[in-house]
Amino acid sequence: DNGYNLWLNYSKIDDASLLETYRNQLQTVFVTDGGATMDVIKRELDRGLGGLLQQEVRFEPNPTFQNQLIVSRYAELGEDLRTLVDPADLTSEGYFIRTIENKKHRMVLITAQTDIGLLYGTFHFLRILQMHQALDGLQVMESPKVDIRMLNHWDNLDRTVERGYAGFSIWNWHTLPDYIDQRYIDYARANASIGINGTALTNVNANGLVLTPHYLEKVKALADVFRPYGLKVYLTARFSAPIEIGGLKTADPLDADVIQWWKDKTKEIYDLIPDFGGFLVKANSEGQPGPQNYGRTHLDGANLLADALKPHEGVVIWRAFVYSEHDDTDRAKQAYSEFVPDDGKYRDNVLIQVKNGPIDFQPREPFHPMFGAMPKTPLMMEFQITKEYLGFATHLVYLPKLFEEVLRSDTYQKGKGSTVAKVVDGSLNHKKVTGMAGVANIGTDANWTGHPFGQADWYGFGRLAWDPYLDSGTIAEEWLRCTFTNNENFVGPVKKMMLESREAVVNYMNPLGLHHMFDTGHHYGPGPWVDNLSRPEWNPVYYHKADDEGIGFDRTKTGSDALSQYAPELGEKFGNLETCPEEYLLWFHHLPWDYQLKNGRTLWDGLGIKYQQGVDQVGDMIKTWEDMKPFVDEYRHNQVSMLLGIQLKEAKWWRDACMLYFQTYSKMDFPKEMEKPENTLEHYKSLQFPFAPGIRPTWN
Ligand code: BDP
């Protein structure tokens, strides 16, 4: 099994009595007529039920209500069935699944206000079967808690993918619009199955060409494929496009010609794609053009595009990932300083997209202080599904565990319990529009994500975007059951392995709050010694600040005071060494090498022990996986085994390179728990990876 079918493989129910029960309960299927989405539902049921029940699926032209699956719009239900469902509970994308057994009926009903709701309900129902759950007494009522649930593809028009480790871009711009790759359809199916309803096709480091008529035709072709699956297309808008493709002399957001140009361009897009989602913008960040080039602000830029999109009901998603070389105190503080003062001044179709942490997708960061700090502006979460800083597609790291940690963090912005999840789903401040984005980990690899377990990160992102309160363990279990098998001897241990994998990577890369110690450009492997890049905040030494005295970034009042951007409760908690959780210790504090940790050991020993623990955890993952041989096809078992082998090698590389380097400052012996380094510091410093995948071409 090469994994192409993802979590939708619909293999035969291997429990004979359950199979018999299902076959009996689902003898026929009735799906209401009409429209492309209903056709998609029929095809998915044909495929899903056909595979799971291993029998031909009988579609009836009329409902019989006897041992039947009924997929029907709420408005078309008979009066007796309608009384069983409260339409007030059904939002436009929500659905209701119910087993009904009374005098007249013996059936499973899937109903919704809209066809997309029915599609989501259908996928949910198929998941129930895939997970071998009983249909008796079934009652499901689901509605997404977040409006915009989208993937961000960092895909370039030449098909390279920035920070992509699973092959090339799945968008074949060369053969579009005439050639529709089956992958586009399967991509849409996969996304719909987990409720993802938006996709930004192009890199945030944008190319204006995608907004030219030639490319818009291609975008339209994709939008047409995605529409029946409820998936809207978004594009990244290069701020200087009016100059580059429009022939204007300026891209000043207050210039009348520029304003008109964006209006016209937006209308041109909507003429082709009436349900176009909107623009995603990275401006004045890492060399991207933006309003500040003209002495204007992010607010001016975002509102310019918002006005162009407003008549078409589109949104602007403006990224808050900004930092400049002129700020030499603390990069972590800049986004907050640039955006928070303008809270309330953005148009109502602007969302500010904020990365989960204040630096950049590290294995662990405290949540971004902007969450909760802009009560009048919708803040969209940006997670990174592709593992730029977590071992690419070669390491097994189950990301929903990280996502969950962020979503459950308490911002205290409106007292205790003001979690990031409540900011994102809008409930903390009653937002009109809400969103969550994930930077995609998808490419042309046979299994889409390179590492077979990378699929779980895509899956889990979608599930958490639908419901940010879900538990990462539940999600892991769903994914395992749908992707591999329901055998408990497999599900239990592998779920445990997945849940522990995130802490393992923190331990072997960036323990105790360390961060951004990655080697230049590719971000693959350790480079804590790097100090020669032109901008200070590109150098790892800027972040760990190791010296003869100690290590860590002082973000308290005596340092950069980044802590003051958090609610006072957190300022106190993180600022006080007694109460600061050790996982954030060196994020917020610079401490002497012999500082005493809670377990009585020195900071230096503690670091070595954590690094070793990370290596040992990967060793345990290898053992667990070896025992799983009987439950997994040989192809995927072997793939994962080989990848875990690489992961172990590289966990040791991280441990040895970092500890040898820090030892030049601490001048202390390694703790006894730590294995001896395999090589010298010079060896690790000499390693080079000029052709590592996913590098951004212009990156220093
Ligand atoms: C950094 C990546 C860079 C991205 C940037 C971004 O290294 O490739 O362009 O984030 O999010 O993590 O814009």
Side-chain angles (χ1 to χ4, degrees):
D1 186 336
N2 71 3
Y4 179 84
N5 289 329
L6 300 159
W7 47 89
L8 302 172
N9 65 33
Y10 303 134
S11 48
K12 184 182 174 187
I13 307 283
D14 53 11
D15 172 336
S17 91
L18 184 68
L19 178 65
E20 216 24 62
T21 314
Y22 281 165
R23 281 178 172 167
N24 186 42
Q25 285 167 311
L26 305 167
Q27 287 171 17
T28 61
V29 179
F30 169 76
V31 179
T32 0
D33 269 344
T37 300
M38 299 315 290
D39 292 343
V40 164
I41 291 175
K42 274 192 200 148
R43 277 203 299 278
E44 200 64 32
L45 284 172
D46 196 38
R47 181 177 183 147
L49 293 179
L52 289 159
L53 308 186
Q54 284 294 305
Q55 65 183 13
E56 202 182 317
V57 183
R58 277 175 47 207
F59 288 96
E60 298 279 351
N62 295 303
T64 63
F65 303 117
Q66 293 306 315
N67 296 325
Q68 193 173 39
L69 172 68
I70 308 248
V71 184
S72 178
R73 298 180 194 102
Y74 176 77
E76 290 162 26
L77 293 180
E79 199 46 45
D80 50 343
L81 287 181
R82 279 207 218 182
T83 53
L84 298 172
V85 186
D86 184 356
D89 294 340
L90 286 176
T91 61
S92 69
E93 293 173 302
Y95 55 85
F96 199 90
I97 310 176
R98 215 180 143 167
T99 302
I100 298 168
E101 275 198 67
N102 54 32
K103 279 196 207 101
K104 271 169 70 186
H105 310 112
R106 230 177 102 81
M107 56 182 268
V108 179
L109 171 70
I110 303 177
T111 190
Q113 303 276 22
T114 63
D115 294 4
I116 294 301
L118 291 177
L119 178 64
Y120 290 154
T122 301
F123 275 117
H124 188 140
F125 176 68
L126 287 168
R127 184 163 74 230
I128 290 172
L129 302 184
Q130 282 180 292
M131 294 178 68
H132 294 192
Q133 291 172 354
L135 300 184
D136 304 326
L138 195 63
Q139 274 232 48
V140 176
M141 220 294 294
E142 279 279 334
S143 271
K145 295 195 166 65
V146 174
D147 303 321
I148 301 175
R149 308 175 297 277
M150 79 186 311
L151 292 183
N152 288 181
H153 287 265
W154 286 359
D155 293 17
N156 299 311
L157 298 181
D158 66 3
R159 298 192 76 179
T160 55
V161 181
E162 181 158 334
R163 314 305 178 187
Y165 315 106
F168 286 92
S169 168
I170 59 174
W171 319 130
N172 189 339
W173 297 105
H174 181 64
T175 53
L176 279 165
D178 301 315
Y179 184 84
I180 299 300
D181 194 322
Q182 178 62 33
R183 238 182 221 262
Y184 305 153
I185 299 163
D186 291 328
Y187 167 84
R189 284 178 56 231
N191 281 322
S193 76
I194 46 177
I196 289 176
N197 65 357
T199 174
L201 302 175
T202 43
N203 194 351
V204 287
N205 296 311
N207 187 332
L209 269 185
V210 79
L211 302 176
T212 58
H214 180 65
Y215 275 93
L216 288 176
E217 282 296 332
K218 299 167 189 281
V219 174
K220 172 189 161 33
L222 288 174
D224 290 344
V225 172
F226 299 160
R227 188 165 298 112
Y229 297 87
L231 191 62
K232 275 191 188 179
V233 163
Y234 296 73
L235 289 174
T236 48
R238 186 165 167 88
F239 203 76
S240 52
I243 303 175
E244 286 149 11
I245 63 165
L248 300 189
K249 293 233 155 34
T250 177
D252 182 344
L254 303 190
D255 179 277
D257 292 338
V258 172
I259 295 173
Q260 193 57 44
W261 188 86
W262 281 110
K263 281 198 172 134
D264 296 344
K265 180 51 73 184
T266 307
K267 178 166 184 313
E268 181 189 337
I269 298 175
Y270 277 93
D271 285 345
L272 287 168
I273 309 165
D275 56 353
F276 179 67
F279 296 127
L280 168 63
V281 189
K282 170 176 179 178
N284 293 119
S285 166
E286 299 182 332
Q288 291 300 299
Q292 292 173 352
N293 297 31
Y294 307 94
R296 315 295 183 196
T297 61
H298 288 293
L299 178 69
D300 297 326
N303 284 351
L304 159 81
L305 298 180
D307 289 342
L309 287 155
K310 185 73 184 174
H312 313 281
E313 291 172 30
V315 297
V316 183
I317 300 171
W318 194 272
R319 295 176 84 230
F321 180 67
V322 295
Y323 61 95
S324 73
E325 50 204 308
H326 312 299
D327 181 3
D328 52 8
T329 55
D330 188 355
R331 164 176 165 183
K333 289 172 71 176
Q334 193 171 335
Y336 182 102
S337 324
E338 283 191 25
F339 285 90
V340 172
D342 284 332
D343 186 29
K345 297 188 203 148
Y346 290 90
R347 302 278 194 267
D348 65 359
N349 58 335
V350 176
L351 296 106
I352 306 294
Q353 184 167 299
V354 186
K355 288 189 182 184
N356 60 271
I359 298 290
D360 192 8
F361 300 137
Q362 299 301 293
R364 170 168 280 132
E365 297 188 37
F367 73 88
H368 200 301
M370 281 175 71
F371 288 107
M374 294 183 74
K376 298 188 190 121
T377 312
L379 291 201
M380 217 166 134
M381 172 61 76
E382 178 176 317
F383 284 127
Q384 194 180 42
I385 313 175
T386 190
K387 295 212 261 294
E388 173 180 354
Y389 295 100
L390 293 97
F392 293 9
T394 33
H395 292 204
L396 193 163
V397 179
Y398 176 60
L399 290 178
K401 188 81 183 154
L402 184 166
F403 303 160
E404 170 189 73
E405 177 178 290
V406 175
L407 291 164
R408 291 184 180 181
S409 299
D410 198 340
T411 71
Y412 286 91
Q413 291 289 3
K414 280 179 90 178
K416 202 170 161 27
S418 308
T419 58
V420 173
K422 287 188 187 166
V423 176
V424 172
D425 79 359
S427 58
L428 192 65
N429 294 297
H430 310 293
K431 293 287 161 53
K432 273 211 324 229
V433 51
T434 56
M436 193 190 290
V439 179
N441 62 344
I442 296 165
T444 49
D445 275 10
N447 70 4
W448 302 81
T449 55
H451 200 301
F453 278 73
Q455 297 179 356
D457 301 326
W458 176 10
Y459 181 88
F461 166 77
R463 298 287 290 124
L464 283 166
W466 180 273
D467 181 355
Y469 302 92
L470 277 177
D471 165 81
S472 64
T474 309
I475 297 172
E477 194 165 326
E478 284 177 12
W479 178 77
L480 284 169
R481 289 179 188 277
C482 295
T483 306
F484 291 103
T485 166
N486 278 284
N487 192 310
E488 302 303 335
N489 296 326
F490 172 83
V491 175
V494 180
K495 175 177 160 186
K496 184 163 173 284
M497 167 178 97
M498 288 167 77
L499 292 178
E500 284 172 8
S501 62
R502 187 312 186 90
E503 208 55 39
V505 76
V506 171
N507 288 337
Y508 67 71
M509 283 188 185
N510 288 195
L512 298 177
L514 288 173
H515 50 288
H516 220 309
M517 302 201 298
F518 297 80
D519 206 355
T520 307
H522 42 76
H523 296 161
Y524 194 64
W529 45 80
V530 174
D531 61 1
N532 60 351
L533 300 180
S534 59
R535 290 174 56 165
E537 76 291 356
W538 280 348
N539 292 295
V541 295
Y542 169 97
Y543 297 98
H544 60 65
K545 300 204 188 307
D547 55 24
D548 292 342
E549 309 297 315
I551 182 170
F553 200 129
D554 183 0
R555 293 193 164 103
T556 67
K557 283 199 180 58
T558 54
S560 77
D561 200 24
L563 252 181
S564 64
Q565 295 182 335
Y566 289 95
E569 289 89 333
L570 289 181
E572 237 155 76
K573 179 176 169 191
F574 294 149
N576 181 345
L577 281 169
E578 295 291 307
T579 48
C580 181
E582 283 189 345
E583 63 251 38
Y584 298 134
L585 204 55
L586 303 177
W587 186 282
F588 289 116
H589 300 274
H590 186 82
L591 297 169
W593 294 107
D594 61 359
Y595 171 81
Q596 204 183 352
L597 294 172
K598 296 214 170 77
N599 64 5
R601 302 291 295 265
T602 61
L603 173 59
W604 170 251
D605 280 359
L607 272 180
I609 291 168
K610 281 281 177 199
Y611 272 110
Q612 184 62 46
Q613 207 182 339
V615 170
D616 295 343
Q617 283 166 310
V618 180
D620 291 343
M621 287 159 68
I622 291 179
K623 281 194 211 100
T624 301
W625 190 250
E626 268 167 15
D627 294 342
M628 295 303 117
K629 228 177 179 148
F631 310 109
V632 188
D633 54 280
E634 205 183 326
Y635 185 90
R636 281 186 295 183
H637 190 270
N638 195 24
Q639 254 185 319
V640 175
S641 294
M642 289 188 289
L643 289 166
L644 284 171
I646 299 178
Q647 190 168 354
L648 182 62
K649 209 161 79 181
E650 296 182 347
K652 291 180 181 170
W653 169 30
W654 271 94
R655 177 196 64 198
D656 296 351
C658 292
M659 287 302 285
L660 282 166
Y661 167 73
F662 291 136
Q663 194 182 38
T664 64
Y665 293 109
S666 81
K667 315 231 166 39
M668 292 160 92
D669 290 336
F670 295 126
K672 58 182 186 317
E673 291 86 347
M674 195 187 120
E675 283 163 10
K676 287 223 163 16
E678 293 178 352
N679 274 294
T680 61
L681 180 57
E682 278 53 50
H683 165 80
Y684 295 117
K685 282 186 170 177
S686 73
L687 300 178
Q688 307 234 331
F689 305 90
F691 302 111
I695 305 184
R696 176 179 162 191
T698 56
W699 190 261
N700 298 51

